[in-house]
């Protein structure tokens, strides 16, 4: 019975890891043991930070809305409550974009939210 040589599969596996480690510094880019650890850790960071990215953008939108609303004499929480009472169903991303780029339209939304608030 002939023996099985496994070099092809091992080289393929190693090549995949070293390709993923392109651009890393030191032995992390060319030593398979270190590169494997670095690529694995990079994947963990990437997975975690995809979640954190959503969190950061939501915080940014809230800050932008808050800044635009305070100019009109409201706080963010008062504005959001008034918007809910007024039936304004825009999400924070769209509101932040309006606040940044369409000031007049956002001012009209603020006025609607102000009127819907109980006196």
């Amino acid at each position: 019975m002939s023996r099985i040589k496994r070099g092809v599969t091992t080289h393929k596996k190693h090549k995949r890891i070293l390709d993923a480690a392109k651009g890393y510094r030191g032995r992390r880019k060319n030593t398979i043991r270190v590169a494997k650890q670095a690529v694995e850790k990079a994947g963990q960071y990437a997975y975690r930070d995809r979640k954190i990215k959503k969190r950061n953008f939501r915080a940014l939108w809230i800050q932008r809305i808050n800044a635009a609303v305070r100019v009109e004499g409201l706080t963010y929480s008062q504005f959001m409550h008034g918007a809910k009472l007024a039936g304004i169903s825009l999400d924070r991303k769209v509101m932040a974009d309006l606040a940044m780029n369409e000031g007049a339209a956002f001012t009209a939304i603020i006025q609607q939210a102000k009127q819907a608030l109980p006196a």
Side-chain angles (χ1 to χ4, degrees), residues 92-109:
R92 287 165 181 80
K93 180 180 180 179
V94 173
M95 281 195 204
D97 188 53
L98 285 174
M100 291 287 290
N101 302 318
E102 305 289 332
F106 192 68
T107 306
I109 293 173

Side-chain angles (χ1 to χ4, degrees), residues 6 22 37 54:
R6 305 180 318 126
K22 274 252 189 313
Q37 293 172 353
K54 294 167 182 61

Side-chain angles (χ1 to χ4, degrees), residues 5 9 13 15 26 33 38 44 53-54 56 67 71 88 94:
K5 297 168 72 177
T9 53
K13 200 184 328 183
K15 184 167 172 37
R33 186 184 301 178
Q44 291 170 353
K53 183 179 176 184
K54 294 167 182 61
N56 289 340
V71 173
I88 300 168
V94 173

Side-chain angles (χ1 to χ4, degrees), residues 35-80:
K36 188 174 181 182
Q37 293 172 353
V39 167
E40 196 172 304
K41 191 66 171 178
Q44 291 170 353
Y45 285 138
Y47 177 81
R48 181 198 68 190
D49 290 343
R50 281 195 295 274
K51 312 286 177 267
I52 293 175
K53 183 179 176 184
K54 294 167 182 61
R55 200 180 309 161
N56 289 340
F57 268 104
R58 184 181 170 96
L60 176 67
W61 298 331
I62 289 171
Q63 290 167 8
R64 287 179 174 174
I65 294 168
N66 191 20
V69 165
R70 283 186 184 270
V71 173
E72 299 292 324
L74 283 176
T75 63
Y76 170 78
S77 61
Q78 290 170 338
F79 167 71
M80 291 308 281

